[in-house]
Amino acid sequence: MIAVQPPEYFPRLKYMAVVQKVDHFILADTFPYRRQSFQNRSKLRSPQGWHWITIPIFGRRNGAPLREIELETGGRWREKHWRSFLYNYRTTKYFEFFEASFRPFFEQTWTRLSPCVCRSVDLLAELLGLQTSIMRASELDGPPQTLGGVARALDAELLCVPSGHAPESLPEGVDVQAVAYEHPTYRQNFEEFEPGMSAADLAFNYGPEARRILARGRTPEADGPDPHGPRPRETG
């Protein structure tokens, strides 16, 4: 069972729940970059509720392949993002436990978006203790630039997709399973619950228990047939 999604910057729970569900997760770094998506930004919990952290992109490159997107290197975004994590999460139960493996991300120089956000997904998977094999589409022969192309390159038989994200066409023999997710409520570092935060929020608050809470959000639809029925197949 595989899933294929563009990398996001320290993704939310519903993204990481798909990672948790499958055997192989493909970071689609050959797919297009989309402005105002989660590909270069994430939400962190704060005393005021929540706030964005955003990676600055060089130029207007909407629609260009993710792996071609360059970052602005003159600013201090890495330092600012680290300080945001430090300020908002240093009093959580497990921040100190994870700090040694988490902080080096912000000490590395990133010049392109793809390796930066791909590493953020890998890092969250490590913090959550997920055993899924994660690789990048750019590592495959081609490399493939479509969902069907990735499925074909891997000879996939079962593809997991987020509920409501139906692929338009797939190679013959590939079945689709939807992963529905209902965001669980859990204890955060500040009063009142805010959904949709980076999964780092759950990891810093719950440590080893975070993996169980993450899985709790998957609904029965995740283990059943695709509710939208069969998908069109590629022909020719």
Side-chain angles (χ1 to χ4, degrees), residues 6-85:
E8 296 184 358
Y9 187 46
F10 290 111
R12 299 158 289 170
L13 294 189
K14 66 178 183 179
Y15 185 104
M16 297 307 297
V18 177
V19 178
Q20 184 183 39
K21 169 75 175 175
V22 300
D23 302 306
H24 303 282
F25 189 87
I26 313 303
L27 294 164
D29 59 342
T30 56
F31 286 21
Y33 165 67
R34 300 302 183 195
R35 293 180 63 249
Q36 298 184 330
S37 69
F38 283 85
Q39 293 172 353
N40 68 311
R41 61 181 183 171
S42 186
K43 290 181 176 181
L44 301 188
R45 190 71 167 88
S46 71
Q48 294 76 34
W50 61 270
H51 69 90
W52 291 108
I53 53 171
T54 303
I55 303 173
I57 301 301
F58 181 76
R60 298 182 178 181
R61 301 297 308 278
N62 189 52
L66 272 163
R67 59 180 179 157
E68 296 179 5
I69 301 299
E70 297 180 348
L71 305 183
E72 293 184 4
T73 56
R76 301 169 59 188
W77 68 268
R78 290 179 294 122
E79 180 182 345
K80 292 176 181 177
H81 290 193
W82 168 246
R83 288 182 176 179
S84 290
F85 275 104

Side-chain angles (χ1 to χ4, degrees), residues 61-139:
R61 301 297 308 278
N62 189 52
L66 272 163
R67 59 180 179 157
E68 296 179 5
I69 301 299
E70 297 180 348
L71 305 183
E72 293 184 4
T73 56
R76 301 169 59 188
W77 68 268
R78 290 179 294 122
E79 180 182 345
K80 292 176 181 177
H81 290 193
W82 168 246
R83 288 182 176 179
S84 290
F85 275 104
L86 189 64
Y87 175 75
N88 292 310
Y89 293 107
R90 60 186 171 186
T91 58
T92 58
K93 186 174 182 180
Y94 289 96
F95 183 82
E96 185 176 351
F97 178 77
F98 290 126
E99 183 175 358
S101 57
F102 192 70
R103 182 168 186 166
F105 175 91
F106 302 96
E107 296 172 340
Q108 184 168 343
T109 299
W110 303 103
T111 59
R112 291 185 179 269
L113 181 63
S114 174
C116 176
V117 292
C118 285
R119 176 54 189 154
S120 78
V121 177
D122 290 336
L123 186 53
L124 277 190
E126 293 168 11
L127 265 57
L128 293 167
L130 306 185
Q131 301 301 311
T132 304
S133 170
I134 301 177
M135 68 180 301
R136 304 177 190 182
S138 58
E139 298 173 346

Side-chain angles (χ1 to χ4, degrees), residues 28-31 137-153:
D29 59 342
T30 56
F31 286 21
S138 58
E139 298 173 346
L140 300 173
D141 290 341
Q145 299 180 23
T146 65
L147 189 59
V150 173
R152 188 183 305 107

